[in-house]
Short mmCIF file of all heavy atoms in Angstrom, two decimals:
data_model
loop_
_atom_site.label_atom_id
_atom_site.label_comp_id
_atom_site.label_asym_id
_atom_site.label_seq_id
_atom_site.Cartn_x
_atom_site.Cartn_y
_atom_site.Cartn_z
N ILE A 1036 29.41 73.46 128.99
CA ILE A 1036 29.41 72.45 127.94
C ILE A 1036 28.39 72.86 126.88
O ILE A 1036 27.21 73.01 127.17
CB ILE A 1036 29.05 71.06 128.51
CG1 ILE A 1036 30.08 70.67 129.58
CG2 ILE A 1036 29.01 70.01 127.40
CD1 ILE A 1036 29.72 69.41 130.34
N GLY A 1037 28.87 73.07 125.65
CA GLY A 1037 28.04 73.61 124.60
C GLY A 1037 27.26 72.57 123.82
O GLY A 1037 27.42 71.35 124.02
N PRO A 1038 26.41 73.03 122.91
CA PRO A 1038 25.54 72.15 122.13
C PRO A 1038 26.33 71.15 121.28
O PRO A 1038 27.36 71.49 120.70
CB PRO A 1038 24.75 73.11 121.24
CG PRO A 1038 24.84 74.44 121.91
CD PRO A 1038 26.17 74.45 122.58
N GLY A 1039 25.82 69.92 121.20
CA GLY A 1039 26.37 68.92 120.31
C GLY A 1039 27.62 68.22 120.79
O GLY A 1039 28.21 67.43 120.06
N VAL A 1040 28.02 68.44 122.04
CA VAL A 1040 29.28 67.91 122.56
C VAL A 1040 29.09 66.51 123.14
O VAL A 1040 28.08 66.22 123.77
CB VAL A 1040 29.86 68.86 123.63
CG1 VAL A 1040 30.93 68.18 124.48
CG2 VAL A 1040 30.42 70.11 122.98
N ARG A 1041 30.09 65.67 122.93
CA ARG A 1041 30.18 64.36 123.58
C ARG A 1041 31.50 64.30 124.35
O ARG A 1041 32.56 64.57 123.77
CB ARG A 1041 30.13 63.22 122.57
CG ARG A 1041 30.34 61.83 123.19
CD ARG A 1041 30.31 60.73 122.14
NE ARG A 1041 28.98 60.53 121.61
CZ ARG A 1041 28.08 59.68 122.09
NH1 ARG A 1041 28.39 58.90 123.14
NH2 ARG A 1041 26.88 59.57 121.56
N ILE A 1042 31.43 63.95 125.63
CA ILE A 1042 32.64 63.79 126.46
C ILE A 1042 32.82 62.30 126.70
O ILE A 1042 31.94 61.63 127.24
CB ILE A 1042 32.52 64.57 127.77
CG1 ILE A 1042 32.34 66.07 127.47
CG2 ILE A 1042 33.75 64.34 128.64
CD1 ILE A 1042 32.10 66.91 128.70
N GLY A 1043 33.99 61.78 126.31
CA GLY A 1043 34.22 60.35 126.32
C GLY A 1043 34.42 59.76 127.70
O GLY A 1043 34.77 60.45 128.67
N ARG A 1044 34.24 58.49 127.78
CA ARG A 1044 34.28 57.70 129.01
C ARG A 1044 35.53 57.99 129.84
O ARG A 1044 36.65 58.03 129.31
CB ARG A 1044 34.22 56.23 128.63
CG ARG A 1044 34.15 55.24 129.77
CD ARG A 1044 34.16 53.82 129.21
NE ARG A 1044 34.08 52.83 130.27
CZ ARG A 1044 32.95 52.27 130.70
NH1 ARG A 1044 31.80 52.62 130.15
NH2 ARG A 1044 32.94 51.38 131.66
N ASN A 1045 35.33 58.22 131.13
CA ASN A 1045 36.39 58.37 132.14
C ASN A 1045 37.20 59.65 132.03
O ASN A 1045 38.14 59.85 132.82
CB ASN A 1045 37.36 57.17 132.11
CG ASN A 1045 36.69 55.86 132.43
OD1 ASN A 1045 35.74 55.82 133.22
ND2 ASN A 1045 37.15 54.79 131.81
N SER A 1046 36.88 60.53 131.12
CA SER A 1046 37.68 61.74 130.97
C SER A 1046 37.40 62.74 132.08
O SER A 1046 36.37 62.70 132.75
CB SER A 1046 37.44 62.38 129.60
OG SER A 1046 38.10 61.63 128.60
N VAL A 1047 38.36 63.64 132.28
CA VAL A 1047 38.29 64.67 133.31
C VAL A 1047 38.35 66.03 132.63
O VAL A 1047 39.26 66.29 131.83
CB VAL A 1047 39.45 64.53 134.31
CG1 VAL A 1047 39.44 65.67 135.32
CG2 VAL A 1047 39.39 63.18 135.02
N ILE A 1048 37.38 66.90 132.96
CA ILE A 1048 37.34 68.26 132.41
C ILE A 1048 37.70 69.23 133.53
O ILE A 1048 37.03 69.29 134.56
CB ILE A 1048 35.94 68.59 131.86
CG1 ILE A 1048 35.48 67.53 130.86
CG2 ILE A 1048 35.95 69.99 131.24
CD1 ILE A 1048 36.36 67.38 129.64
N GLY A 1049 38.79 69.97 133.33
CA GLY A 1049 39.27 70.88 134.37
C GLY A 1049 38.32 72.02 134.64
O GLY A 1049 37.54 72.45 133.77
N ALA A 1050 38.36 72.51 135.86
CA ALA A 1050 37.46 73.57 136.30
C ALA A 1050 37.58 74.80 135.40
O ALA A 1050 38.66 75.18 134.98
CB ALA A 1050 37.78 73.96 137.75
N GLY A 1051 36.43 75.41 135.12
CA GLY A 1051 36.40 76.63 134.33
C GLY A 1051 36.50 76.44 132.83
O GLY A 1051 36.58 77.42 132.09
N SER A 1052 36.46 75.20 132.38
CA SER A 1052 36.60 74.94 130.95
C SER A 1052 35.34 75.33 130.18
O SER A 1052 34.23 75.34 130.72
CB SER A 1052 36.89 73.46 130.70
OG SER A 1052 38.16 73.10 131.22
N VAL A 1053 35.54 75.62 128.88
CA VAL A 1053 34.43 75.86 127.96
C VAL A 1053 34.56 74.81 126.86
O VAL A 1053 35.48 74.85 126.05
CB VAL A 1053 34.48 77.28 127.36
CG1 VAL A 1053 33.35 77.47 126.36
CG2 VAL A 1053 34.38 78.32 128.48
N VAL A 1054 33.65 73.82 126.90
CA VAL A 1054 33.77 72.66 126.02
C VAL A 1054 32.87 72.88 124.81
O VAL A 1054 31.64 72.86 124.92
CB VAL A 1054 33.36 71.37 126.75
CG1 VAL A 1054 33.68 70.15 125.89
CG2 VAL A 1054 34.07 71.27 128.11
N THR A 1055 33.48 73.08 123.64
CA THR A 1055 32.73 73.36 122.42
C THR A 1055 32.87 72.26 121.39
O THR A 1055 32.15 72.27 120.39
CB THR A 1055 33.21 74.68 121.79
OG1 THR A 1055 34.61 74.58 121.48
CG2 THR A 1055 32.99 75.85 122.74
N LYS A 1056 33.79 71.31 121.62
CA LYS A 1056 33.99 70.19 120.70
C LYS A 1056 34.09 68.89 121.50
O LYS A 1056 34.35 68.92 122.71
CB LYS A 1056 35.26 70.39 119.86
CG LYS A 1056 35.21 71.62 118.95
CD LYS A 1056 36.44 71.72 118.08
CE LYS A 1056 36.40 73.00 117.23
NZ LYS A 1056 35.23 73.05 116.34
N ASP A 1057 33.92 67.77 120.81
CA ASP A 1057 33.99 66.47 121.48
C ASP A 1057 35.33 66.27 122.16
O ASP A 1057 36.38 66.70 121.66
CB ASP A 1057 33.79 65.35 120.46
CG ASP A 1057 32.36 65.27 119.93
OD1 ASP A 1057 31.50 66.02 120.42
OD2 ASP A 1057 32.13 64.45 119.03
N ILE A 1058 35.29 65.58 123.31
CA ILE A 1058 36.49 65.20 124.05
C ILE A 1058 36.56 63.68 124.04
O ILE A 1058 35.59 63.01 124.39
CB ILE A 1058 36.43 65.73 125.51
CG1 ILE A 1058 36.31 67.27 125.52
CG2 ILE A 1058 37.65 65.27 126.29
CD1 ILE A 1058 37.48 68.01 124.94
N PRO A 1059 37.71 63.10 123.67
CA PRO A 1059 37.80 61.63 123.62
C PRO A 1059 37.81 61.01 125.01
O PRO A 1059 37.90 61.71 126.02
CB PRO A 1059 39.12 61.39 122.89
CG PRO A 1059 39.92 62.63 123.14
CD PRO A 1059 38.94 63.75 123.22
N ALA A 1060 37.75 59.71 125.05
CA ALA A 1060 37.76 58.97 126.31
C ALA A 1060 39.14 58.98 126.95
O ALA A 1060 40.16 59.09 126.26
CB ALA A 1060 37.31 57.53 126.07
N ASN A 1061 39.16 58.88 128.28
CA ASN A 1061 40.39 58.63 129.04
C ASN A 1061 41.46 59.70 128.86
O ASN A 1061 42.64 59.41 128.66
CB ASN A 1061 40.97 57.25 128.68
CG ASN A 1061 40.01 56.13 129.01
OD1 ASN A 1061 39.63 55.94 130.16
ND2 ASN A 1061 39.60 55.39 127.99
N VAL A 1062 41.03 60.97 128.92
CA VAL A 1062 41.98 62.08 128.84
C VAL A 1062 41.64 63.12 129.90
O VAL A 1062 40.53 63.16 130.44
CB VAL A 1062 41.98 62.76 127.45
CG1 VAL A 1062 42.38 61.77 126.36
CG2 VAL A 1062 40.62 63.40 127.15
N VAL A 1063 42.61 63.97 130.20
CA VAL A 1063 42.39 65.19 130.97
C VAL A 1063 42.36 66.34 129.98
O VAL A 1063 43.28 66.50 129.17
CB VAL A 1063 43.50 65.41 132.02
CG1 VAL A 1063 43.31 66.75 132.73
CG2 VAL A 1063 43.52 64.27 133.02
N ALA A 1064 41.31 67.15 130.02
CA ALA A 1064 41.16 68.29 129.11
C ALA A 1064 40.77 69.51 129.91
O ALA A 1064 40.04 69.43 130.90
CB ALA A 1064 40.11 67.98 128.05
N VAL A 1065 41.26 70.67 129.48
CA VAL A 1065 41.02 71.89 130.24
C VAL A 1065 41.16 73.09 129.31
O VAL A 1065 41.85 73.02 128.28
CB VAL A 1065 42.01 72.00 131.43
CG1 VAL A 1065 43.44 72.15 130.95
CG2 VAL A 1065 41.62 73.13 132.37
N GLY A 1066 40.51 74.19 129.65
CA GLY A 1066 40.76 75.45 128.97
C GLY A 1066 39.55 76.02 128.27
O GLY A 1066 38.47 75.45 128.23
#
């Protein structure tokens, strides 16, 4: 998880992901 990122409430981040931008609430995100 990189600098400045916000991950929204209840969301799921898949294994091995590189999070460089905000992720909204209540989603599955990966990659």
Side-chain angles (χ1 to χ4, degrees):
I1036 300 172
V1040 164
R1041 175 181 290 269
I1042 299 175
R1044 184 182 181 94
N1045 298 327
S1046 285
V1047 176
I1048 306 300
S1052 293
V1053 178
V1054 188
T1055 59
K1056 297 184 183 300
D1057 290 355
I1058 301 296
N1061 298 300
V1062 299
V1063 175
V1065 65

